[in-house]
């Protein structure tokens, strides 16, 4: 072995140095620098800078320029730079390299890369909000973001787990969010912990405008499904609960309003029926905050005329020989309100929200005008002056159904108008009695038994 060794040529070991790497860069031979030399250079650059203060920034800029076309070097530098800004306990990078990052980041070849965008965020004073913005632009939630960058950046940096707290605050800065941004928000909410989600929902409810909610039923449906019923409802703040009521009501009233407008536009109605529909539409706008749910029932003629322009919660009324009318059933938390749009009677009926009425009014697929009327309930007319404060609004108030805040109802009709109403009301009462007898006879015949 000794004899063999004596015949071998002298071995020379190349000791890495920062100067050696910098010399290769200056000579245009950066592609010949080994990975070991690069690692040593990055590690020793801080100490080298202390001895070469006048050259530290220029040489760091040169290293970043090489990294633009060297993906392996990019990875080494970006990983350490993320630790430099994101984890103060690990400072394994020269300050000059950190401060020269923009030389690299401003290059058109790499500025679009997600890790580069995230490093920019790490330097921001509002890093959480900025990272939430990137996640929104990429349409990815926290889990998807981490899966995307885990090979390029150290995902244990606190920001990557903490920025989820900024999802809702960022979303509320979007003036007119589109559907994809709403879907992104809901995806983020779905993966949050219970406490994070409740905090985010509270913030969204109290900072997103009603107009945005009215344009995005997807958001309102998610909130209604997850927070309107059950224990989560009571974990919301009082302002958040009030806003959720308004959002749910606004969406449901919007469907009701759309239905009335479609009927007015698609059906050839007499003037007096058109005016009756308009008055109903405008009256219930004052109660839009209270609409928990809405069920729409259409006669065959209306369904054909309107087509599929309203698709949610629309059912066909069974033909029982009654005059054609559309029917809306409103869920007002403790009461169901049934509104007959047209035809004889044209009344509003009020039913307590119990399990039987729940099953019949919102569970039964088959309903007709007579089936509903034979349920009974309290009823109110739509004859002359019905919407004046003393009449329908007071009737609803007696059952705890209050209008939206700051609603102004007309009041103090003249004695002459009151007499006119009384005359018309007497005729309506007689007509309703007849229609109810007719309904009970029909229901008995078809064995639709009511207690």
């Amino acid at each position: 072995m000794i004899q063999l060794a004596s015949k071998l040529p002298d071995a020379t070991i190349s000791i890495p140095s920062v100067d050696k790497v910098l010399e290769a860069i200056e000579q245009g031979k950066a592609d010949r620098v080994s990975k070991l030399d690069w690692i040593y250079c990055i590690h020793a650059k801080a100490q080298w800078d202390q001895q070469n203060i006048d050259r530290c920034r220029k040489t760091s800029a040169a290293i970043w320029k090489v990294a633009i076309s060297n993906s392996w070097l990019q990875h080494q530098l970006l990983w350490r730079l993320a630790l430099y800004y994101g984890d103060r306990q690990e400072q394994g990078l020269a300050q000059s390299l950190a401060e020269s990052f923009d030389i690299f980041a401003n290059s058109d070849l790499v500025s679009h890369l997600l890790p580069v965008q995230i490093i920019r965020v790490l330097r921001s004073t509002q890093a959480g909000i900025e990272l939430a913005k990137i996640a929104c632009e990429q349409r990815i939630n926290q889990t998807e973001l981490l899966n995307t960058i885990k090979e390029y950046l150290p995902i244990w940096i606190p920001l990557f787990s903490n920025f989820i707290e900024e999802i809702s605050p960022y979303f509320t800065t979007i003036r007119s969010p589109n559907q994809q941004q709403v879907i992104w928000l809901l995806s983020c909410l779905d993966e949050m912990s219970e406490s994070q989600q409740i905090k985010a929902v509270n913030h969204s409810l109290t900072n997103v405008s009603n107009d945005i909610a009215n344009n995005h039923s997807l958001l309102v449906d998610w909130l209604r499904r997850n927070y309107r019923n059950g224990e989560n409802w009571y974990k919301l703040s009082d302002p958040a609960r009030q806003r959720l009521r308004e959002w749910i009501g606004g969406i449901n009233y919007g469907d009701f309003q759309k239905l009335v407008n479609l009927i007015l536009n698609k059906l050839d109605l007499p003037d007096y029926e058109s005016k009756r529909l308009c008055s109903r539409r405008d009256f219930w706008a004052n109660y839009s905050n209270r609409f928990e749910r809405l069920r729409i029932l259409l006669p065959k003629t209306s369904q054909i005329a309107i087509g599929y322009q309203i698709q949610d919660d629309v059912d066909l009324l069974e033909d029982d020989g009654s005059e054609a009318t559309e029917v809306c059933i409103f869920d007002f938390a403790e009461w169901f309100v049934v509104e007959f749009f047209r035809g004889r009677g044209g009344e509003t009926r009020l039913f307590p929200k119990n399990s039987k009425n729940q099953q019949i009014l919102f569970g039964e697929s088959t309903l007709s005008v007579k089936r509903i009327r034979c349920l009974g309930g309290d009823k109110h007319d739509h004859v002359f002056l019905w919407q004046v404060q003393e009449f329908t609004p007071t009737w609803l108030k007696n059952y705890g159904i209050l209008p939206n805040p700051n609603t102004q109802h007309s009041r103090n009709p003249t004695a002459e108008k009151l007499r006119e109403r009384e005359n018309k009301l007497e005729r309506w009462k007689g007509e309703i009695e007849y229609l109810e007898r007719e309904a009970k006879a029909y229901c008995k015949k078809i064995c639709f038994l009511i207690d």
Side-chain angles (χ1 to χ4, degrees):
M1 293 293 292
I2 293 173
Q3 291 177 351
L4 179 62
S6 65
K7 296 178 181 179
L8 293 175
D10 293 337
T12 58
I13 300 174
S14 176
I15 300 175
S17 73
V18 175
D19 288 314
K20 178 183 176 182
V21 172
L22 296 177
E23 182 182 354
I25 294 174
E26 290 174 359
Q27 294 175 356
K29 299 178 181 179
D31 57 324
R32 298 183 184 179
V33 176
S34 69
K35 292 180 180 179
L36 178 62
D37 285 344
W38 277 124
I39 290 174
Y40 178 81
C41 177
I42 294 170
H43 173 75
K45 186 66 164 61
Q47 183 177 354
W48 186 92
D49 285 353
Q50 293 176 5
Q51 300 169 356
N52 300 271
I53 296 175
D54 57 330
R55 298 178 61 202
C56 65
R57 293 291 298 273
K58 182 179 179 180
T59 51
S60 289
I63 292 172
W64 277 115
K65 288 179 181 178
V66 173
I68 292 173
S69 57
N70 185 325
S71 59
W72 181 88
L73 182 58
Q74 280 181 33
H75 176 72
Q76 300 300 316
L77 290 170
L78 292 178
W79 187 280
R80 288 165 174 77
L81 191 56
L83 289 173
Y84 179 91
Y85 285 116
D87 189 344
R88 295 303 177 184
Q89 294 181 351
E90 296 195 39
Q91 294 291 311
L93 191 72
Q95 182 178 347
S96 64
L97 282 169
E99 293 175 348
S100 303
F101 169 65
D102 286 337
I103 298 292
F104 170 83
N106 290 335
S107 169
D108 292 339
L109 295 175
V110 297
S111 60
H112 64 284
L113 298 177
L114 185 58
V116 176
Q117 296 176 32
I118 291 176
I119 297 294
R120 288 186 184 276
V121 163
L122 286 169
R123 302 185 303 174
S124 168
T125 57
Q126 293 186 309
I129 286 281
E130 292 298 320
L131 188 54
K133 179 181 179 181
I134 287 178
C136 181
E137 291 170 347
Q138 298 286 327
R139 304 290 189 265
I140 51 179
N141 58 30
Q142 182 194 38
T143 299
E144 292 165 339
L145 175 68
L146 297 184
N147 287 337
T148 302
I149 67 172
K150 64 184 180 182
E151 295 182 6
Y152 307 99
L153 299 175
I155 61 174
W156 61 82
I157 289 174
L159 175 64
F160 293 146
S161 57
N162 295 341
F163 90 96
I164 199 167
E165 302 278 353
E166 304 294 341
I167 294 293
S168 177
Y170 168 70
F171 180 81
T172 57
T173 67
I174 305 173
R175 181 170 298 180
S176 299
N178 57 39
Q179 186 178 21
Q180 291 303 313
Q181 289 167 326
V182 171
I183 292 172
W184 167 78
L185 172 66
L186 299 183
S187 174
C188 293
L189 290 174
D190 280 332
E191 70 166 358
M192 290 181 184
S193 68
E194 180 181 340
S195 60
Q196 289 172 334
Q197 188 184 95
I198 290 171
K199 182 179 179 181
V201 169
N202 266 309
H203 188 275
S204 296
L205 283 167
T206 52
N207 288 277
V208 173
S209 72
N210 288 353
D211 288 341
I212 290 175
N214 288 338
N215 290 329
H216 293 287
S217 59
L218 189 68
L219 171 61
V220 181
D221 288 342
W222 186 94
L223 290 166
R224 172 169 41 196
R225 187 168 60 251
N226 290 280
Y227 280 87
R228 183 58 189 95
N229 297 305
E231 61 181 19
N232 278 349
W233 171 252
Y234 300 100
K235 295 175 183 177
L236 297 176
S237 66
D238 288 341
R241 284 200 293 266
Q242 177 57 33
R243 185 61 69 86
L244 182 52
R245 289 191 191 99
E246 294 174 9
W247 287 10
I248 293 171
I251 290 292
N252 287 326
Y253 174 75
D255 288 341
F256 168 74
Q257 182 183 49
K258 181 179 180 180
L259 172 63
V260 173
N261 291 339
L262 283 170
I263 293 169
L264 291 169
N265 292 330
K266 298 292 185 179
L267 301 183
D268 185 17
L269 302 178
D271 287 344
Y272 76 92
E273 284 202 335
S274 295
K275 290 178 180 178
R276 288 172 67 181
L277 282 175
C278 289
S279 65
R280 282 168 165 76
R281 178 193 62 199
D282 298 342
F283 176 82
W284 289 113
N286 296 327
Y287 293 82
S288 61
N289 290 2
R290 303 297 300 272
F291 283 53
E292 297 279 340
R293 282 184 299 168
L294 173 69
R295 186 181 184 190
I296 297 171
L297 297 154
L298 301 179
K300 188 66 176 180
T301 52
S302 297
Q303 189 183 61
I304 292 172
I306 293 172
Y308 296 96
Q309 296 184 58
I310 292 184
Q311 298 180 2
D312 297 333
D313 297 320
V314 176
D315 293 304
L316 183 65
L317 273 171
E318 181 183 73
D319 185 2
D320 60 10
S322 300
E323 287 186 272
T325 179
E326 299 73 29
V327 176
C328 272
I329 306 174
F330 310 139
D331 182 344
F332 277 141
E334 296 180 356
W335 299 93
F336 293 129
V337 175
V338 179
E339 182 77 294
F340 295 87
F341 280 25
R342 301 184 286 132
R344 297 170 63 191
E347 74 274 23
T348 298
R349 289 183 180 268
L350 191 67
F351 300 94
K353 190 174 180 180
N354 55 41
S355 58
K356 183 185 79 171
N357 291 333
Q358 166 91 15
Q359 174 59 30
I360 293 173
L361 296 176
F362 274 92
E364 293 285 344
S365 59
T366 303
L367 282 176
S368 72
V369 170
K370 289 176 180 174
R371 284 175 185 252
I372 295 172
R373 280 195 172 123
C374 71
L375 290 172
D378 199 3
K379 53 189 174 290
H380 201 284
D381 64 276
H382 283 94
V383 301
F384 186 56
L385 299 180
W386 67 272
Q387 65 270 58
V388 170
Q389 177 66 43
E390 285 81 352
F391 302 119
T392 305
T394 298
W395 176 68
L396 292 171
K397 182 179 179 181
N398 290 337
Y399 288 100
I401 300 175
L402 303 177
N404 301 340
N406 303 318
T407 296
Q408 298 294 325
H409 291 289
S410 57
R411 56 173 64 240
N412 299 325
T414 64
E416 181 181 353
K417 288 185 176 180
L418 287 174
R419 284 193 295 271
E420 182 180 351
R421 170 175 168 77
E422 283 300 318
N423 292 333
K424 292 182 177 180
L425 187 59
E426 286 303 313
R427 291 197 295 272
W428 175 83
K429 288 178 179 177
E431 192 167 60
I432 281 294
E433 289 177 1
Y434 171 79
L435 292 173
E436 287 181 336
R437 289 195 301 270
E438 188 179 57
K440 289 178 180 178
Y442 173 82
C443 289
K444 185 178 180 180
K445 181 179 178 180
I446 65 170
C447 297
F448 185 68
L449 301 178
I450 306 300
D451 295 336

